[in-house]
Amino acid sequence: MSGIRSAPVDPSVIAVCRARLSGHPVEGFLLGGGTYPAQVMFVGEAPGATEIQEGRPFSGQAGEELDGYLQRLGLTRDEVYITSVIRSRPYKEKPLTRASGETVISRSNRTPTKTEILAHAPILDEEIRWVQPQIIVPMGNTALHRLIGSHETITSLHGKLIEGPVQQAADPAMPDKGYIFSREIYQIFPLFHPAAILYNRKLTDIVMSDLDHLSQILRRNS
Ligand code: URA
């Protein structure tokens, strides 16, 4: 895993973004990782329990699927950059009664809210500036909507190359200002989130064919 590093996002930006989520049910913090600049940048949803524990993006079950994506593309983690729209783990709590009769509170992952995603938007914006990706690969609806707005879905856009600006925080210091579109134009190639395959194995063939399309585009670009 040598050669994997996080983009040097300004610590004061991180502090402001994290402070915005104090009081929200989120835990931990870790930046994305890989190399920068990089030809391809993968954007997921949010770290889960394993990622927060291990301090490495996509180190849980979804990460194993993502490694399969990379293998299909003939790439390794130190040739790309992997991150998410929010860099803390959103969780929900519910009581769980053990076999012993004891009740404990268990935490499960949940989709980040729009407010939480906007609160961390300046971090992803900075990562994009450091990575200067030729192609951004949003994985799943959360990443797709964060980057291009919510007028389309991953089901309609997966495996298709789009060219256009991406959303960024209008004013990094003021989350209530929402998003504006970047001046830069990117190639955007949406894919199903690797966790989607875990729940629906029938997606595997579709994702593999999308990856073959992406591979052709990368070869053409390089
Ligand atoms: N899912 C994501 O979207 N990001 C991670 O880092 C892990 C799982």
Side-chain angles (χ1 to χ4, degrees):
M1 284 297 156
S2 62
I4 294 184
R5 56 197 184 134
S6 296
V9 176
D10 184 336
S12 68
V13 170
I14 295 175
V16 167
C17 292
R18 291 193 70 178
R20 283 177 187 159
L21 291 189
S22 84
H24 285 243
V26 300
E27 64 179 0
F29 183 87
L30 82 145
L31 286 169
T35 191
Y36 58 89
Q39 191 187 14
V40 200
M41 178 173 192
F42 292 87
V43 183
E45 183 171 296
T50 313
E51 284 75 24
I52 293 301
Q53 208 177 335
E54 302 205 356
R56 191 168 79 97
F58 279 96
S59 43
Q61 267 189 306
E64 283 175 33
E65 293 297 330
L66 180 56
D67 286 337
Y69 287 18
L70 293 175
Q71 210 175 358
R72 185 81 171 198
L73 294 169
L75 293 169
T76 57
R77 284 191 183 226
D78 50 17
E79 294 172 301
V80 301
Y81 197 88
I82 299 170
T83 189
S84 304
V85 302
I86 169 172
R87 299 292 346 150
S88 294
R89 175 198 181 203
Y91 65 81
K92 54 177 181 274
E93 288 186 328
K94 62 168 194 252
L96 187 81
T97 305
R98 294 212 167 119
S100 63
E102 183 200 6
T103 300
V104 292
I105 300 295
S106 83
R107 286 184 174 181
S108 55
N109 297 341
R110 66 171 170 84
T111 303
T113 64
K114 286 196 171 122
T115 306
E116 289 164 348
I117 294 168
L118 183 57
H120 274 202
I123 298 176
L124 179 60
D125 294 345
E126 256 210 60
E127 286 185 303
I128 292 174
R129 279 194 287 277
W130 280 104
V131 177
Q132 299 166 41
Q134 220 175 65
I135 298 205
I136 303 183
V137 179
M139 299 184 292
N141 275 320
T142 305
L144 181 70
H145 294 163
R146 158 67 174 87
L147 289 167
I148 70 161
S150 29
H151 51 286
E152 293 280 3
T153 65
I154 205 76
T155 306
S156 56
L157 288 188
H158 71 89
K160 295 187 181 141
L161 183 66
I162 315 163
E163 269 186 58
V166 295
Q167 294 192 123
Q168 56 191 35
D171 181 343
M174 302 184 75
D176 57 327
K177 300 271 188 232
Y179 296 104
I180 50 167
F181 278 101
S182 64
R183 261 183 293 175
E184 298 80 11
I185 299 296
Y186 296 92
Q187 294 192 325
I188 301 162
F189 191 91
L191 284 179
F192 283 104
H193 191 283
I197 296 193
L198 294 172
Y199 300 116
N200 181 5
R201 285 280 160 205
K202 287 192 192 133
L203 286 177
T204 307
D205 289 349
I206 297 171
V207 172
M208 290 304 138
S209 134
D210 289 350
L211 288 165
D212 291 345
H213 183 199
L214 176 57
S215 180
Q216 281 169 10
I217 295 166
L218 294 177
R219 267 182 276 136
R220 205 172 62 208
N221 279 357
S222 58

